[in-house]
Amino acid sequence: MAKAVLVMDMPEQVCQKCTLCYETENDDEYLCCATGKLLPDGEKPDWCPLRELPEKIPDLKSGYEDFSVSISRVGWNACLDEILEERKE
């Protein structure tokens, strides 16, 4: 099955601040629309599907870096740049 990625601002540690969280008809009950699960009170649950993007790999200037590592770094960082690019649509 094909996969998709949604890039959004990471909400605070409280699910109720997330754009994927909706209040149900029952008072003080919230639903995660990404998983279809009811949210527990308190902090973000372990089963939350949102993950922070990894960091870019820093540029190595030692002159001793492996060529394959250098190519991997360039590809990794280019991929992150593409994901974070603002769309003008």
Side-chain angles (χ1 to χ4, degrees), residues 20-86:
L20 298 174
C21 178
Y22 290 93
E23 190 171 7
T24 66
E25 292 178 3
N26 299 336
D27 288 340
D28 296 328
E29 199 172 68
Y30 293 88
L31 177 73
C32 173
C33 289
T35 62
K37 294 181 180 181
L38 288 175
L39 296 166
D41 291 336
E43 294 184 7
K44 185 170 80 170
D46 292 340
W47 49 259
C48 177
L50 298 181
R51 302 288 179 260
E52 287 189 39
L53 281 176
E55 298 291 323
K56 287 185 174 184
I57 300 173
D59 202 9
L60 304 173
K61 300 285 187 186
S62 68
Y64 293 102
E65 58 269 6
D66 183 358
F67 182 71
S68 63
V69 171
S70 180
I71 296 297
S72 296
R73 177 186 50 77
V74 169
W76 180 262
N77 291 346
C79 182
L80 287 175
D81 288 341
E82 183 67 25
I83 290 170
L84 294 171
E85 179 182 323
E86 294 289 327

